Amino acid sequence: MMKYKEYTGYVVYDDEAHIFHGEVVGIRAVITFQGTTVDEIEVAFKDSIDDYLEWCEKRGKEPERPHSGKFNLRMPPEVYVQIAARAAQAGLSMNSYIINRLSA
């Protein structure tokens, strides 16, 4: 993962084309970038975000901000009870318990 001006991007290596390519995540707008070296991909990532912000400014549009990190989840009541019990047994809030489980 890469971070710049509150935006996060991920990078993948394409072994057939011999390039790195990536995309900014957490927003609806599509911001992509590519390069053949680590230095190039880092510059391209920052340039793509700067270009997006400049594009928005020229058009008088508010740029999208990365997602807040809030995630609403609907689940069957019996699953909710199981998670609440496991979180309580671990001495954690349900939020912390779920984050720990998803991060593992």
Side-chain angles (χ1 to χ4, degrees), residues 51-64:
D51 289 347
Y52 168 70
L53 296 172
E54 183 179 314
W55 181 88
C56 289
E57 184 177 344
K58 283 182 181 177
R59 284 156 183 77
K61 293 188 169 198
E62 189 67 28
E64 286 185 62

Side-chain angles (χ1 to χ4, degrees), residues 35-60:
T36 57
T37 67
V38 172
D39 289 340
E40 280 183 17
I41 198 71
E42 287 177 348
V43 169
F45 171 62
K46 292 176 181 178
D47 287 349
S48 291
I49 291 170
D50 289 339
D51 289 347
Y52 168 70
L53 296 172
E54 183 179 314
W55 181 88
C56 289
E57 184 177 344
K58 283 182 181 177
R59 284 156 183 77

Side-chain angles (χ1 to χ4, degrees), residues 85-100:
R86 290 179 183 165
Q89 289 171 342
L92 298 171
S93 68
M94 282 185 66
N95 190 68
S96 294
Y97 178 80
I98 291 170
I99 289 170
N100 287 346

Side-chain angles (χ1 to χ4, degrees), residues 4 10 17 24-25 85 102 104:
Y4 178 65
Y10 73 91
V24 174
V25 296
L102 291 174

